[in-house]
Amino acid sequence: MQHSMQHSNKESSTKQSMTGALAWVFAVCSGLSVANIYYAQPLLDSIALEFHLSTATIGLVITITQICYALGLLLLVPLGDLVNRRKLILIQMILSAFALIVVGTSASPSLLFAAIAMVGLLAVITQTFVAYAAHLSADSQRGSIVGRVTSGIVIGILLARSVAGLMNDWLGWRSVYLFSASLTLISVFVLGRMLPQRSFKQSKLGYLQLLASTLRLYRELHVLRIRGLLAMLIFMSFSILWTAIVLPLSATPISLSHAAIGAFGFAGLAGALAAAKAGKQADQGSGQKTTGISLMILVLSWIPTSLLHTSLWFLVVGVILLDLAVQAVHVTNQSLIYQVRPEAQSRLTASYMIFYSIGSAVGSIISTQVYASSGWRGVCILGAGVSITALLVWIADRLSERFVAARRDH
């Protein structure tokens, strides 16, 4: 028993590198990094005007960024299990700052597109922060810490469009990327002082073997398959709302400005701030209960959201509920999958977030098409349908687990 206690104390002492202050630094840096792939959305008109690009051509900025982000999830994030994460984070942050400077000073469309591709590829450093935070955290705190870092990511996503729109009006679109580059370099300095100087246990896998093992995790881990499927559906629902919301709000009779529409992102902050609480529940063994309640809230959130034309306050309520539900499930998903393979947290992050990217991309594409054919009510029916599907997937998995457990008992 004494040996067990000594082992436990030794294990907990090796996990004391994740302090509360470092967790908040991770949250801020993650938010700054992920914001880089969302800044362009309100800037497209200004960029197109300066470079004399057509609407179809300037849309490539968004497409290139998202494609490269997805590639980064597969090609760069797993490196956290192969090389020293401290060095990986600092190098990627420096390269990201350089790419942002090139975007902000680009003199031709070709240079702009090349640099924005690098920005998208390197923005996956956000997910390296999540995996590193999970690695540095004690088992009893992992969900809470991951929730705190995830809160920073969601805040970065929600505020990126508003910040970019305001800076574009004041100082032009280039200022957005140069400002982000400045913040990124400051982050490098802070991280260089705060990241723990601990020895790194080199993986025996080569890079190609590492990528193969990342894909192999889908076959080996049931929890990854289910939680990945839930991630795809909840972020499809999230993307359906946030992509289509600008269309009814900017059209008559509401006719809000882009700055006013961006302000709805502040309503979503309530959900982001609840993410850490969901992680704490997962730490205490209530991950499944949190998932079920959150998915029911997600379904119900589309009711007030559908009443947008009755009152904008209904939309505010819907946004708060939807963001709260999505982030609670997201944090719980990560907490549960990190428990199964502690030595493969970066690969688990990459495998899981690929589902997130697929859901976000599909939600963006279909939401605008549904709005064009069926209006806001059609968008809400679509979002509710996706949310109900997620709830049914969770219910089916729970029933399956109970069935297997009952057969094993007999």
Side-chain angles (χ1 to χ4, degrees):
M1 182 174 178
Q2 186 178 2
H3 174 75
S4 177
M5 288 178 65
Q6 288 175 344
H7 177 75
S8 176
N9 289 337
K10 182 179 179 182
E11 182 182 10
S12 63
S13 68
T14 62
K15 293 289 189 179
Q16 292 306 309
S17 299
M18 178 49 73
T19 62
L22 185 58
W24 285 117
V25 169
F26 273 32
V28 171
C29 292
S30 296
L32 290 174
S33 299
V34 78
N36 290 330
I37 62 174
Y38 292 94
Y39 285 139
Q41 291 180 354
L43 306 177
L44 293 181
D45 290 347
S46 299
I47 297 172
L49 187 64
E50 179 169 337
F51 287 109
H52 307 291
L53 299 173
S54 67
T55 304
T57 303
I58 197 59
L60 287 174
V61 169
I62 304 296
T63 305
I64 290 171
T65 307
Q66 293 293 342
I67 289 173
C68 289
Y69 185 79
L71 285 174
L73 288 172
L74 181 63
L75 301 177
L76 295 183
V77 174
L79 281 172
D81 292 333
L82 186 64
V83 301
N84 188 303
R85 286 192 184 104
R86 185 181 190 276
K87 292 180 180 178
L88 181 64
I89 285 173
L90 294 176
I91 290 171
Q92 283 191 228
M93 292 285 279
I94 292 169
L95 291 174
S96 183
F98 174 75
L100 289 163
I101 291 171
V102 175
V103 172
T105 58
S106 56
S108 68
S110 57
L111 186 59
L112 172 71
F113 289 144
I116 209 74
M118 288 299 296
V119 168
L121 188 72
L122 294 166
V124 296
I125 190 66
T126 297
Q127 302 309 324
T128 303
F129 277 119
V130 175
Y132 197 20
H135 172 73
L136 292 175
S137 303
D139 293 343
S140 60
Q141 292 182 306
R142 186 169 293 122
S144 180
I145 294 296
V146 168
R148 190 178 301 178
V149 177
T150 302
S151 295
I153 295 172
V154 180
I155 291 170
I157 292 172
L158 293 173
L159 296 187
R161 300 175 185 89
S162 301
V163 170
L166 288 172
M167 291 195 70
N168 182 37
D169 291 342
W170 292 341
L171 300 169
W173 70 268
R174 294 178 183 274
S175 68
V176 177
Y177 291 99
L178 296 176
F179 179 63
S180 182
S182 302
L183 293 179
T184 302
L185 290 173
I186 293 171
S187 299
V188 170
F189 175 76
V190 173
L191 288 166
R193 295 180 65 87
M194 293 190 68
L195 288 176
Q197 295 271 8
R198 67 165 41 175
S199 59
F200 177 76
K201 186 177 180 181
Q202 181 74 38
S203 172
K204 296 178 181 179
L205 295 174
Y207 180 62
L208 293 179
Q209 290 175 308
L210 187 78
L211 296 184
S213 70
T214 300
L215 298 175
R216 206 160 46 239
L217 289 171
Y218 293 125
R219 188 182 71 224
E220 296 173 353
L221 301 176
H222 173 77
V223 66
L224 177 61
R225 294 194 297 272
I226 290 297
R227 292 289 157 171
L229 183 56
L230 288 177
M232 184 180 73
L233 292 168
I234 64 171
F235 280 105
M236 192 183 300
S237 183
F238 182 88
S239 189
I240 286 168
L241 174 68
W242 287 106
T243 301
I245 198 173
V246 67
L247 301 173
L249 292 181
S250 60
T252 54
I254 301 176
S255 302
L256 293 181
S257 66
H258 284 287
I261 294 170
F264 278 92
F266 290 99
L269 295 183
L273 297 175
K277 178 72 74 174
K280 192 172 292 185
Q281 292 295 316
D283 290 335
Q284 296 170 355
S286 300
Q288 292 289 5
K289 180 181 177 182
T290 300
T291 302
I293 293 172
S294 300
L295 289 173
M296 285 188 278
I297 292 173
L298 182 62
V299 173
L300 293 173
S301 72
W302 288 100
I303 296 174
T305 301
S306 68
L307 301 174
L308 176 154
H309 289 97
T310 302
S311 171
L312 290 180
W313 286 110
F314 282 117
L315 178 61
V316 171
V317 172
V319 164
I320 291 173
L321 291 176
L322 182 136
D323 277 32
L324 188 153
V326 167
Q327 298 316 317
V329 177
H330 180 42
V331 171
T332 304
N333 286 348
Q334 291 174 302
S335 181
L336 292 175
I337 64 173
Y338 287 146
Q339 292 173 9
V340 294
R341 293 280 179 87
E343 79 285 357
Q345 282 159 346
S346 291
R347 279 167 285 169
L348 285 169
T349 300
S351 303
Y352 171 77
M353 291 303 295
I354 287 171
F355 280 94
Y356 153 88
S357 287
I358 293 170
S360 296
V362 172
S364 294
I365 293 168
I366 60 177
S367 62
T368 50
Q369 294 177 345
V370 169
Y371 183 83
S373 62
S374 305
W376 184 246
R377 186 173 295 277
V379 169
C380 292
I381 292 172
L382 173 67
V386 171
S387 304
I388 291 169
T389 303
L391 179 59
L392 292 176
V393 166
W394 176 79
I395 291 172
D397 182 57
R398 293 295 288 157
L399 292 175
S400 175
E401 285 182 357
R402 290 176 182 175
F403 177 73
V404 171
R407 288 193 63 180
R408 189 166 53 239
D409 291 340
H410 286 297

